Amino acid sequence: EFYNAQIRDTLTVKASESVKLRFGLDYLFLKTDMSIKFPQLPKEGESQGMPSLDSVQLSEGKSMVENSVAGFFEMETRLFNRLTFVPGIRYDYFSRVNETALSPRMTLRGDVTEKWTLKGGVGLFYQEPSFDETDKIFGNPNLSLESAVHYSAGVEYSPLKHLTFDMTLFYKDLNNLVSRTSEIIERDGEIVLLRFNNGGEGRAYGMELLVRHEFANNFSGWISYTLSRAERKDFGSSGYRLFDYDQTHILTLLGEYQLPKNWSIGLRYRFVSGRLVTPRTGSVFNADRSVYEPIFGEANSQRMPSFHQLDLRIDKRWVFENWMFTAYLDLQNATNRQNAEGWRYNFDSSEKRIRAGLPIIPVIGLKGEF
């Protein structure tokens, strides 16, 4: 049973024509009552096979109250009518790991000319490990916060009032990542497996391109493309590997055109590199359980086929004196592409076939606005 509540509020004070001050509060309350009997489940980068029943652990009658509270401050300053400088700082307290964190951040935006703008930013961010990772039975209660420093720099070009070209380079330096370990320690007078430590590290870097067309000449839309790489080094490893959710290419195209008599037509096209998978290289028969248990190859060494999807939508709107009525046809996956979501193996992992996602889905909708 989980009980949670969250409060976030921001106060903005205009100190002068060129200075705005923002004060904020972020509070999360979470109460948990649970009993768990479970084996050790695979973590990020580990084979998603059948968990070993030899690793079943029991954590019962566990009640926990968590309070995470933060205060933050920003000062937005406009200098020389061309430069916007926004320094800020955030202070967090995480009760589950009993740690505080101070996170300075800064963004800078400068109008070089009426059409060209330079921008950049840097910031420090923290997050708690997951619940199972800090559990005394399933994990390590002495884990500390994970951290990341984000850097970004970019340029914008607006040749027309309604048209903007945007390019941003980014880099993330990840530290103190929770990582699996086989180290044995003494805790509360008992010799136990440590299970996790903060010995992992990582990095993510790449480039984002955006072309945005604001509504003009009955058309609005944008095209975005991201080229990125996300890598991680586990505790005890000498080299980096790809994160589970590394996506090399992400392309999105979105557009809507207003037709006469309150008709409109829109489309969305998405292309994403296939997700990473750990291949099965064979299997071993387990006589005790009468099943073939798969043998896995190198983690995240194969990638599924790329994801493509085209969605179409047609709207017709009727405007009355006091209300408006809209009817629409929405075609999800209009080309009925069989996108691969994973591999489906036979009983001994000797054969496989693609597990496809959703087919074409037509949706007819009616909407009234008063």
Side-chain angles (χ1 to χ4, degrees):
E1 295 181 328
F2 295 87
Y3 310 88
N4 62 8
Q6 186 169 9
I7 298 172
R8 180 184 172 92
D9 205 1
T10 305
L11 172 66
T12 301
V13 178
K14 189 174 182 179
S16 68
E17 289 298 321
S18 59
V19 178
K20 290 182 181 179
L21 306 178
R22 296 190 188 94
F23 304 86
L25 173 69
D26 220 346
Y27 174 69
L28 171 67
F29 168 81
L30 177 62
K31 183 177 183 298
T32 308
D33 295 311
M34 58 184 174
S35 293
I36 303 174
K37 185 179 183 181
F38 237 64
Q40 284 290 315
L41 296 179
K43 305 297 290 184
E44 197 279 334
E46 297 178 349
S47 301
Q48 304 295 310
M50 179 68 71
S52 171
L53 298 182
D54 295 334
S55 66
V56 169
Q57 300 286 333
L58 174 63
S59 179
E60 58 182 344
K62 187 177 181 65
S63 181
M64 180 178 62
V65 175
E66 178 182 353
N67 293 279
S68 296
V69 60
F72 55 91
F73 168 75
E74 285 183 349
M75 181 178 67
E76 181 179 326
T77 305
R78 185 73 172 170
L79 303 173
F80 313 113
N81 205 32
R82 285 187 175 275
L83 184 66
T84 302
F85 178 52
V86 187
I89 195 165
R90 179 184 173 100
Y91 179 81
D92 286 271
Y93 170 69
F94 301 93
S95 65
R96 181 153 50 89
V97 294
N98 193 28
E99 281 194 56
T100 60
L102 193 63
S103 310
R105 300 165 189 179
M106 179 194 73
T107 60
L108 189 66
R109 181 182 180 89
D111 299 326
V112 181
T113 67
E114 291 185 357
K115 296 183 178 181
W116 288 91
T117 300
L118 298 178
K119 58 183 181 178
V122 61
L124 177 60
F125 298 81
Y126 290 92
Q127 73 175 24
E128 282 183 303
S130 62
F131 285 98
D132 63 311
E133 291 168 346
T134 57
D135 184 80
K136 184 177 180 180
I137 303 298
F138 291 91
N140 176 6
N142 297 318
L143 288 175
S144 59
L145 298 171
E146 299 178 313
S147 65
V149 183
H150 295 201
Y151 306 89
S152 68
V155 59
E156 293 182 10
Y157 173 59
S158 300
L160 301 171
K161 185 177 181 180
H162 58 272
L163 185 63
T164 303
F165 295 84
D166 187 340
M167 181 184 74
T168 303
L169 304 176
F170 63 87
Y171 184 88
K172 299 180 182 181
D173 185 20
L174 313 175
N175 296 286
N176 297 324
L177 300 183
V178 175
S179 185
R180 185 85 71 179
T181 177
S182 57
E183 184 181 352
I184 302 297
I185 64 166
E186 182 179 348
R187 181 188 298 147
D188 299 333
E190 296 183 27
I191 303 299
V192 297
L193 181 63
L194 185 60
R195 301 189 188 278
F196 299 107
N197 63 16
N198 286 99
E201 59 184 87
R203 60 194 180 194
Y205 51 92
M207 172 185 66
E208 295 178 342
L209 299 175
L210 174 67
V211 180
R212 184 173 60 249
H213 189 290
E214 303 292 350
F215 184 76
N217 303 318
N218 296 325
F219 175 78
S220 65
W222 47 266
I223 301 174
S224 70
Y225 170 69
T226 301
L227 174 67
S228 67
R229 188 172 181 86
E231 300 174 319
R232 173 189 173 109
K233 184 189 290 185
D234 296 309
F235 175 72
S237 175
S238 59
Y240 283 90
R241 62 166 176 83
L242 291 176
F243 270 99
D244 283 352
Y245 296 103
D246 172 80
Q247 294 175 313
T248 307
H249 305 284
I250 305 174
L251 173 67
T252 303
L253 185 151
L254 184 71
E256 182 179 16
Y257 189 79
Q258 298 291 331
L259 298 169
K261 298 183 179 180
N262 290 326
W263 284 86
S264 66
I265 183 170
L267 65 82
R268 178 180 64 176
Y269 173 74
R270 290 175 291 163
F271 169 86
V272 184
S273 297
R275 72 180 187 87
L276 291 165
V277 293
T278 300
R280 298 186 185 186
T281 59
S283 63
V284 174
F285 183 73
N286 186 325
D288 293 335
R289 299 172 56 194
S290 296
V291 296
Y292 284 88
E293 295 185 346
I295 300 173
F296 291 92
E298 184 180 350
N300 293 342
S301 59
Q302 285 189 4
R303 194 178 289 274
M304 299 296 297
S306 299
F307 171 91
H308 300 257
Q309 183 165 313
L310 176 66
D311 305 325
L312 299 175
R313 178 168 171 141
I314 299 175
D315 288 74
K316 167 61 178 175
R317 188 171 66 250
W318 290 268
V319 181
F320 300 96
E321 184 176 352
N322 296 316
W323 68 292
M324 186 166 58
F325 178 72
T326 303
Y328 62 86
L329 170 63
D330 195 349
L331 286 178
Q332 299 288 317
N333 192 17
T335 61
N336 197 32
R337 178 178 172 82
Q338 301 297 297
N339 283 302
E341 292 191 346
W343 293 115
R344 192 185 304 275
Y345 289 86
N346 66 345
F347 70 100
D348 63 353
S349 301
S350 60
E351 298 179 1
K352 64 180 181 181
R353 58 186 175 90
I354 286 178
R355 185 176 71 248
L358 294 174
I360 182 173
I361 301 177
V363 179
I364 297 176
L366 303 174
K367 182 172 66 174
E369 298 176 77
F370 300 88

